[in-house]
């Protein structure tokens, strides 16, 4: 076990930064083969060790299309289980390369909140951003390692399609129209990641045998790293516990 946003009135679309390139500037190397008969998995539960903090209330009344009062998702704890923790293989894959999934991942704006609150995606993978609300949103990622953009999305507009070219953890996304709307995107180089659900559980499948470092990343708490060795066809449980 381990121990341990100012409302910008933005009613018009700002000029976005240059879009991410559709493909990398250099040719992607071929994916490193993995013998499916040897793959292993790791799973576990992430806990919060201590009194669960009360979620701060969000007043959405400035926009009648939103849903009144809601609760922030900075720390979501249910019976000691911690949701929205990004778990990924931080070290141990060496110089292996992986195909970028053809399927997009989805961010939905519903009830004037982002769903999900924490997202994992591979570098270069397509992200489809939908607006199911009857109000205009303004999606504004503020990355450190990727290109920043800021784009409005009125109701019933076709989904936006975006991607991020470089690895970056807990990349913040906000809405300039609704300052309480926040989420985080984790951009990684491999498909070996997961996000804990409301039960605190995660599972990462398909790993080749090897020695790995798993990282547990939460938006407000210090990152925790754990080493694990996986043999062929292995299945191991690695739990984590965060403290206030």
């Amino acid at each position: 076990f381990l121990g341990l946003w100012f409302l910008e009135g933005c009613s018009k679309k700002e000029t976005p930064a240059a879009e991410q390139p559709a493909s990398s500037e250099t040719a992607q190397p071929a994916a490193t083969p993995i013998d499916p008969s040897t793959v292993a998995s790791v799973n576990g539960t992430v806990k919060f060790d201590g009194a669960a903090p009360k979620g701060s209330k969000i007043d959405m009344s400035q926009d009648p299309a939103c849903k009144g009062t809601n609760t922030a998702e900075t720390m979501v704890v249910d019976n000691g289980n911690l949701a929205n923790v990004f778990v990924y293989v931080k070290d141990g894959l060496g110089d292996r390369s992986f195909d970028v999934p053809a399927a997009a991942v989805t961010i939905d704006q519903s009830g004037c909140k982002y769903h999900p609150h924490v997202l994992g995606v591979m570098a270069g993978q397509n992200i489809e951003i939908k607006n199911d609300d009857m109000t205009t949103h303004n999606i504004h990622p503020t990355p450190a390692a990727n290109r920043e953009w800021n784009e409005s999305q009125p109701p019933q507009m076709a989904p936006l399609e975006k991607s991020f070219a470089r690895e970056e953890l807990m990349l913040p996304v906000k809405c300039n129209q609704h300052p309480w709307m926040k989420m985080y995107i984790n951009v990684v180089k491999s498909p070996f990641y997961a996000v804990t659900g409301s039960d605190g559980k995660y599972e990462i499948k398909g790993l080749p045998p090897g020695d790995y470092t798993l990282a547990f990343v939460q938006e407000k708490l210090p990152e925790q790293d754990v080493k694990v060795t996986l043999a062929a066809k292995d299945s191991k449980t690695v739990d984590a516990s965060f403290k206030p």
Side-chain angles (χ1 to χ4, degrees):
F1 265 120
L2 313 163
L4 343 178
W5 280 4
F6 166 97
L7 173 59
E8 292 178 66
C10 190
S11 58
K12 64 180 181 179
K13 177 178 174 180
E14 296 183 17
T15 302
E19 295 294 330
Q20 296 294 336
S23 59
S24 298
E25 292 137 1
T26 58
Q28 289 290 335
T32 307
I34 296 175
D35 182 351
S37 69
T38 67
V39 295
S41 66
V42 61
N43 64 80
T45 305
V46 180
K47 296 282 189 177
F48 184 79
D49 183 12
K54 290 185 178 180
S56 59
K57 294 298 181 180
I58 297 169
D59 182 3
M60 299 184 178
S61 60
Q62 72 172 58
D63 189 334
C66 298
K67 301 294 181 182
T69 302
N70 216 310
T71 305
E73 297 175 287
T74 304
M75 196 89 67
V76 179
V77 182
D78 183 9
N79 292 320
N81 301 313
L82 185 57
N84 295 327
V85 177
F86 183 69
V87 188
Y88 78 108
V89 175
K90 182 177 182 178
D91 190 42
L93 292 168
D95 58 358
R96 288 179 177 270
S97 57
F98 304 92
D99 289 328
V100 176
V105 296
T106 300
I107 296 171
D108 193 13
Q109 297 161 105
S110 177
C112 294
K113 296 179 79 173
Y114 287 116
H115 305 272
H117 180 66
V118 173
L119 178 73
V121 65
M122 279 187 67
Q125 186 175 3
N126 196 42
I127 303 171
E128 185 179 72
I129 306 169
K130 299 162 54 180
N131 181 7
D132 286 339
D133 287 328
M134 295 308 294
T135 189
T136 295
H137 290 301
N138 187 273
I139 304 95
H140 187 181
T142 55
N146 286 276
R147 295 176 184 172
E148 183 174 352
W149 53 270
N150 180 3
E151 195 161 330
S152 292
Q153 189 175 32
Q156 301 179 339
M157 178 179 171
L160 300 174
E161 294 188 358
K162 302 290 180 179
S163 66
F164 294 95
R166 286 172 281 279
E167 194 169 35
E168 183 168 353
L169 296 179
M170 287 294 166
L171 190 164
V173 181
K174 62 181 178 179
C175 174
N176 288 349
Q177 289 288 88
H178 306 101
W180 62 83
M181 288 181 65
K182 300 178 184 179
M183 71 164 293
Y184 296 88
I185 299 174
N186 295 273
V187 187
V188 288
K189 295 179 180 178
S190 90
F192 302 120
Y193 60 83
V195 179
T196 59
S198 59
D199 58 0
K201 295 185 182 301
Y202 76 92
E203 183 175 25
I204 299 174
K205 299 179 180 180
L207 276 160
D211 298 318
Y212 297 107
T213 299
L214 291 181
F216 296 80
V217 185
Q218 205 274 345
E219 62 190 86
K220 294 297 183 183
L221 300 172
E223 177 184 317
Q224 300 189 20
D225 295 348
V226 188
K227 294 185 181 299
V228 60
T229 296
L230 297 175
K233 300 182 180 180
D234 216 349
S235 178
K236 285 192 174 177
T237 297
V238 177
D239 299 324
S241 180
F242 286 84
K243 290 185 177 181

